[in-house]
């Protein structure tokens, strides 16, 4: 919609607004490829390993009608992003790989769509594959209460190939049809309102937020505020980073001018004056869950400190969520700080002070820190950066395991009843007895029991059978032991032989 056309609409009452369509589905089922096919615009090529790890918003125009699309990641870590995507959308596309089956995140997406109470369209993708079986998918979906039209339900389904760009026209038609039925209207003569769907700190531009306008017209130079952050808008850009003067309902925008990075999921509103906006801002930041968890350090647990830096809020949230799920019975993972932005000197100082590792996700290390690392001969500063979320998680897991001391595991090997004490001196004795359980070997550690109570310990210096040195005596054998220990063994004592094994720490 051009600004002029929109203006005409404002004057003629409640204008229509384009649908906001969220693309949801299991990892690798082809969400980004579908958007790429729709927009004929390379999105996937920019991603690390083709895995979407952030939320993206795009606008397309079909037969003069606009549609806003929100791409979401399918990886299990990003459930909050998917829920947020469904929350801001009018319609959901549920993408399912026709050659596969309904997967965990397919189900999770269905739950998010149902919670958001928006209509869904099933997109049966990868129909070009020889083993594609869309009927099987429809059957699976109907079993979980998602019944498509051809199965007697009300949910439209479309078969597409994002790769071969087939079925795209039909899909767009269905989207516009569903949108028409929703009669999406929006007030434009009210203060602008919207939802932040992604945010990050840009080295040169400062805080950058991606938002969807929900109501009103957002203009460059507006004063807006979320619950926590104020912005005297410096500029607004469309999804392609092109400067625009105003943005209308349903439009995805990039907003520059926030004083600090607003949190994803926050609503923003525009205000007449800065004073009015400031009144609405909450003074206290809500405590972030992970970083501020009160740790139960009773039982002398070990603690591994880390500092997390990420490209966008959404990925930090996902990483924190996954880290929280690592087993922490033996070592506690403490996230000292979790922040958007590059790894800077403040992080390095905090890391040094608290003996923490710095873990970066799709962020750079500032030149001053790099220089410091270069000169740090002792290599005390541990900084690692990652592009793929599960590599990061694996690294932290390895760190936790490494910090565990090897556990010593004790295994009982044999039992002997003492029948005779031959000889003794200071801490040595020769005793004879019968092996009643297991076996006895030279070198094993021993514990001595009298009337079921442990009375001392020691080890086997030498072992004899029939007055000959042997390495082993089995159950039923009579054996002589040269014992060294802290007790005088008596006739009738029970001698237990055991082994100790050092086992690598397991979380
Ligand atoms: N044969 C075939 N392959 C496809 C099709 N659509 C996507 N793919 C392939 O499937 C893989 C995953 O595609 P993406 O678009 O990255 O999947 P996604 O759902 O966005 O994945 P995440 O964002 O990580 O959840 C890529 O290798 C694509 O080339 C299709 O229609 N046919
Ligand atoms: Mg993707």
């Amino acid at each position: 919609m051009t600004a002029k056309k929109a203006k005409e609409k404002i004057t003629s009452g409640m204008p229509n607004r384009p649908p906001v369509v969220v693309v949801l589905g299991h990892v690798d089922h082809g969400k980004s490829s579908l958007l790429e096919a729709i927009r004929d615009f390379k999105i996937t090529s920019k991603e690390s390993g083709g895995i979407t790890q952030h939320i993206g918003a795009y606008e397309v125009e079909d037969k003069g009608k606009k549609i806003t699309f929100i791409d979401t990641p399918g990886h299990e870590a990003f459930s909050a992003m998917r829920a947020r995507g469904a929350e801001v959308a009018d319609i959901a596309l549920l993408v399912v790989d026709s050659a596969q089956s309904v997967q965990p995140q397919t189900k999770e997406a269905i739950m998010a769509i149902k919670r958001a109470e928006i209509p869904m369209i099933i997109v049966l993708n990868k129909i070009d594959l020889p083993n594609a079986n869309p009927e099987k998918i429809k059957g699976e979906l109907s079993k979980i209460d998602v019944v498509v039209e051809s199965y007697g339900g009300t949910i439209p389904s479309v078969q597409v190939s994002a790769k071969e760009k087939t079925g795209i026209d039909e899909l767009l038609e269905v989207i516009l049809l569903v949108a028409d039925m929703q009669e999406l209207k929006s007030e434009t003569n009210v203060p602008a309102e919207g939802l932040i769907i992604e945010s990050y700190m840009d080295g040169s531009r400062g805080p950058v937020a991606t938002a969807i306008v929900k109501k009103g017209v957002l203009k460059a130079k507006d004063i807006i505020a979320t619950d926590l952050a104020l912005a005297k808008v410096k500029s607004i850009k469309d999804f392609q980073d092109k400067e625009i003067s105003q943005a209308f309902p349903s439009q995805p925008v990039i907003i520059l001018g926030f004083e600090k990075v607003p949190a994803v999921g926050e609503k923003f509103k525009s205000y007449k004056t800065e004073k009015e906006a400031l009144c609405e801002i909450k003074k206290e930041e809500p405590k972030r869950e992970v970083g501020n968890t009160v740790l139960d350090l009773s039982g002398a647990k070990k603690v591994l400190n880390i500092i997390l830096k990420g490209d966008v809020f959404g990925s930090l949230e996902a990483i924190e969520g996954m880290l929280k799920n690592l087993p922490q019975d033996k070592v506690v993972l403490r996230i000292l700080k979790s922040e958007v932005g590059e790894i800077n000197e403040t992080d390095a100082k905090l890391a040094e002070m608290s003996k923490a590792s710095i873990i970066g996700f799709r962020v750079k290390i500032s030149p001053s820190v790099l220089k410091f690392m270069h000169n740090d001969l002792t290599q005390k500063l541990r900084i690692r950066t990652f592009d793929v979320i599960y590599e990061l998680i694996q690294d932290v897991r390895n760190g936790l395991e490494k910090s565990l001391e090897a556990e010593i595991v004790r295994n009982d090997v044999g039992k002997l009843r003492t029948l005779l004490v031959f000889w003794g001196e200071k801490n040595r004795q020769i005793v004879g007895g019968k092996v009643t359980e297991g076996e006895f070997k030279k070198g094993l550690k021993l514990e001595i029991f009298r009337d079921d109570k442990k009375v001392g310990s020691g080890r086997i210096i030498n072992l004899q059978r029939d007055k000959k040195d042997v390495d082993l005596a089995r159950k039923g054998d009579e054996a002589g032991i040269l014992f060294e220990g802290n007790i005088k063994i008596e006739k009738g004592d029970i001698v237990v032989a055991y082994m100790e094994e050092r086992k690598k720490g397991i979380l």
Side-chain angles (χ1 to χ4, degrees):
M1 203 188 298
T2 64
K4 199 172 149 218
K5 263 194 201 161
K7 254 188 191 154
E8 280 163 16
K9 286 208 166 174
I10 296 169
T11 51
S12 65
M14 289 275 264
N16 291 324
R17 64 176 176 83
V20 177
V21 179
V22 65
V23 188
L24 295 165
H26 195 74
V27 65
D28 272 355
H29 281 200
K31 299 173 291 296
S32 302
S33 306
L34 177 70
L35 279 175
E36 186 186 323
I38 290 174
R39 296 188 44 235
D40 210 16
F41 181 82
K42 280 272 172 207
I43 299 164
T44 34
S45 59
K46 286 192 225 150
E47 299 181 346
S48 311
I51 299 163
T52 302
Q53 302 184 96
H54 59 90
I55 200 160
Y58 314 92
E59 219 178 2
V60 300
E61 198 165 323
D62 184 44
K63 303 184 189 81
K65 292 188 173 173
K66 282 189 173 168
I67 306 172
T68 294
F69 283 101
I70 299 175
D71 188 13
T72 65
H75 188 268
E76 59 171 325
F78 297 95
S79 59
M81 262 189 225
R82 284 187 287 275
R84 218 159 27 238
E87 216 45 60
V88 73
D90 304 301
I91 299 169
L93 299 188
L94 182 68
V95 178
V96 192
D97 183 338
S98 314
Q100 285 220 355
S101 52
V102 168
Q103 294 289 312
Q105 271 58 56
T106 319
K107 290 183 189 161
E108 185 211 284
I110 293 169
M111 302 276 284
I113 296 165
K114 289 193 170 169
R115 264 200 311 274
E117 296 179 339
I118 51 173
M120 72 174 117
I121 300 167
I122 308 296
V123 183
L124 298 152
N125 188 32
K126 307 200 189 181
I127 205 76
D128 59 285
L129 291 174
N131 55 337
N133 190 349
E135 290 311 312
K136 183 191 111 189
I137 306 282
K138 287 184 202 172
E140 286 175 2
L141 285 170
S142 66
K143 280 196 200 126
I144 49 171
D145 250 8
V146 176
V147 190
V148 298
E149 282 166 346
S150 57
Y151 274 54
T154 53
I155 301 169
S157 68
V158 186
Q159 298 185 11
V160 304
S161 163
K163 189 178 168 201
E164 299 190 339
K165 301 191 174 50
T166 55
I168 305 296
D169 260 3
E170 192 195 340
L171 174 62
L172 289 172
E173 231 165 78
V174 175
I175 292 171
L176 290 173
L177 210 73
V178 174
D180 272 351
M181 288 194 298
Q182 282 185 298
E183 294 184 358
L184 302 167
K185 302 273 181 194
S186 184
E187 303 160 83
T188 41
N189 52 354
V190 293
E193 269 180 45
L195 196 82
I196 309 288
I197 58 167
E198 196 49 279
S199 60
Y200 63 96
M201 177 63 92
D202 183 288
S204 53
R205 301 195 290 180
V208 180
T210 304
I212 302 278
V213 180
K214 294 297 282 180
K215 268 187 191 175
V217 183
L218 178 69
K219 299 188 190 71
K221 309 243 157 28
D222 269 1
I223 291 162
I224 62 173
T226 65
D227 273 355
L228 300 168
L230 175 82
K232 284 190 260 176
V233 178
K234 270 193 234 151
S235 76
I236 47 178
K237 294 162 182 261
D238 69 5
F239 72 100
Q240 284 171 311
D241 226 17
K242 234 172 51 213
E243 193 97 26
I244 49 176
S245 58
Q246 45 191 353
F248 297 92
S250 297
Q251 196 171 345
V253 281
I254 296 164
I255 304 172
L256 302 184
F258 274 100
E259 285 174 356
K260 62 177 177 180
V261 180
V264 286
E266 280 198 286
K267 290 198 177 89
F268 75 80
K269 222 174 144 179
S270 76
Y271 296 90
K272 284 202 191 79
T273 62
E274 191 178 334
K275 203 170 150 200
E276 211 179 301
L278 280 171
C279 286
E280 296 298 318
I281 292 185
K282 298 203 172 89
K283 298 283 171 291
E284 287 266 314
E285 291 222 16
K287 294 214 177 320
R288 296 196 69 197
E289 211 186 310
V290 173
N292 293 290
T293 311
V294 179
L295 295 173
D296 170 20
L297 294 181
S298 56
K301 273 185 190 170
K302 282 185 160 289
V303 178
L304 188 75
N305 288 331
I306 64 168
I307 295 167
L308 263 183
K309 299 292 296 236
D311 57 341
V312 291
F313 256 118
S315 40
L316 282 176
E317 175 186 60
I319 291 164
E320 286 178 10
M322 285 182 90
L323 290 179
K324 217 161 56 177
N325 286 334
L326 289 177
Q328 301 194 25
D329 307 334
K330 297 178 190 159
V331 195
V332 177
L333 185 68
R334 179 158 52 193
I335 303 174
L336 296 177
K337 176 166 141 185
S338 172
E339 206 177 63
V340 168
E342 70 173 14
I343 297 165
N344 56 34
E345 274 182 76
T346 319
D347 304 323
K349 279 190 192 124
L350 177 63
E352 228 188 343
M353 255 165 41
S354 52
K355 297 197 179 64
S357 302
I358 303 177
I359 312 237
F361 180 67
R362 307 178 83 187
V363 289
K364 290 203 189 98
I365 302 173
S366 78
S368 58
V369 175
L370 272 177
K371 204 169 130 201
F372 177 78
M373 281 170 78
H374 196 67
N375 297 334
D376 176 20
L377 293 177
T378 51
Q379 298 202 330
K380 266 200 214 126
L381 198 59
R382 268 172 62 79
I383 302 181
R384 274 143 311 142
T385 57
F386 300 88
D387 276 336
V388 177
I389 191 162
Y390 29 75
E391 286 173 10
L392 183 154
I393 303 297
Q394 189 52 46
D395 184 80
V396 176
R397 179 184 261 278
N398 292 345
L400 284 172
E401 279 182 349
K402 239 175 135 181
S403 74
L404 274 180
E405 261 166 28
E407 273 178 287
I408 294 178
V409 183
R410 178 199 147 122
N411 287 316
D412 284 357
V413 189
K415 223 180 227 183
L416 172 138
R417 175 178 292 279
T418 323
L419 301 172
L420 272 172
V421 177
F422 293 108
W423 164 87
E425 64 173 31
K426 208 169 156 221
N427 5 337
R428 289 190 169 205
Q429 278 177 298
I430 295 174
V431 296
K434 186 166 183 161
V435 181
T436 55
E437 269 174 46
E439 54 191 36
F440 269 63
K441 276 187 218 162
K442 223 156 85 175
L444 284 179
K445 290 194 167 178
L446 300 175
E447 272 175 345
I448 319 302
F449 292 84
R450 192 169 297 155
D451 303 325
D452 288 337
K453 269 195 221 110
K454 184 181 159 187
V455 287
S457 57
R459 63 194 182 99
I460 305 173
I461 303 291
N462 198 15
L463 192 67
Q464 285 194 331
R465 262 171 54 210
D466 300 327
K467 298 199 173 117
K468 276 192 212 117
D469 287 358
V470 288
D471 290 327
L472 182 80
R474 290 201 179 82
K475 184 176 171 181
D477 291 343
E478 289 202 351
I481 297 172
L482 175 54
F483 166 80
E484 185 181 79
N486 57 7
I487 173 102
K488 283 236 168 322
I489 297 179
E490 291 175 8
K491 185 181 165 190
D493 285 352
I494 301 291
V495 180
V496 175
Y498 65 95
M499 254 183 340
E500 279 177 340
E501 241 183 309
R502 289 175 80 80
K503 276 206 172 153
K504 198 184 143 240
I506 298 166
L507 287 183

